[in-house]
Amino acid sequence: MDEQNRKKTILSGIKPSGDLTLGSYMGAIKNWVELADEYNCYYMLADMHAVTVRQDPAELRRRTLSQLAQYIACGLDPEKNTLFIQSHVPAHAELAWALSCYTMFGELSRMTQFKDKAAKNADNINAGLFTYPVLMAADILLYQADLVPVGEDQKQHVELTRDIAHRFNAVYGDVFTMPEPFIPKTGARIMSLQTPCSKMSKSEQDNGGCVCLLDKPEDIMRCFRRAVTDCDTVDCVRFDPETKQGVSNLMQIYSVCTGKSFQQIQEEFSGLGYGAFKPRVGEAVVELLRPIREEAERLLRDKAYLESVYRDGARRAAQVAGRTVRKVYKKLGFVQP
Ligand code: TRP
């Protein structure tokens, strides 16, 4: 067996439905970069998932390319990782249909994300929103992924993927690899700067709760100066996610930026209040993001390069994904074309 085949496979994706945030960088992309040598990695821009809620077409196109540029600027090397746009690989839609015939209505009805999204989009509870996890199962199973780096909110979808794979394998033999959710050891869970009890989300772009990777330094500084700390406790920098959620979140961010431990940060700011701490975190984030923003902006001006990356990514992805679809179609009894 050659080197490539012995490595485990990783697949993950982010919907280009909003700009990438500091949370997606620190909680996901930053950790993906380190996996490239040890694993066979696929990272997708999940544009087909994005259209389960209404998107402005020009904006979606712009954000998809921008997200690709940001992936690369964050250090995901397109030579070492397969970076591709979901809609460029027809196998995703093809396998999703087949798998939807092996997914139960009841299972999909129990998905908490569906229930949340249906509540939020009461005027557009479309079938795609409902079958979203089947498409996600197809994304994962097409590449025979062993590990799927996801946040807590997506774990249920990976569990469902396993149930679908298990059901299919039980009938047709070992067609799919059983994937597992993968929470990297170093993954940081970054919370909103305004409501630190909830995850930093791109939906909070307007109220200052989230920082995006391409935000200008002055906007980043404003978000951190205005970040919510904990008014009910003493004005001191101490890590305690139970009672000091806001400050602990800022410490987490500062720790990722500087590599300092919580103990070191506590010492650095001992005797100083939040008023001194918050702008320092802001500055550290500005410096962390500066090279990423500059590189992403440079790449976005180089359309030909970006095009070569997503073309090559789609070609590589389609090779692997096509093989899985052909196998599935054969098992199902479709006449080979
Ligand atoms: N559903 C994921 C999210 O909303 C994005 C996604 C789509 C994904 N396909 C995937 C994540 C496959 C991991 C694997 O965050």
Side-chain angles (χ1 to χ4, degrees), residues 11-13 15 44 46 49 113 132 136 139-140 148-150 154:
L11 176 128
S12 197
K15 293 190 297 277
M44 189 179 71
H49 278 97
Q113 194 178 53
Y132 179 113
M136 182 159 158
D139 300 338
I140 296 167
V148 185
V150 283
Q154 295 295 318

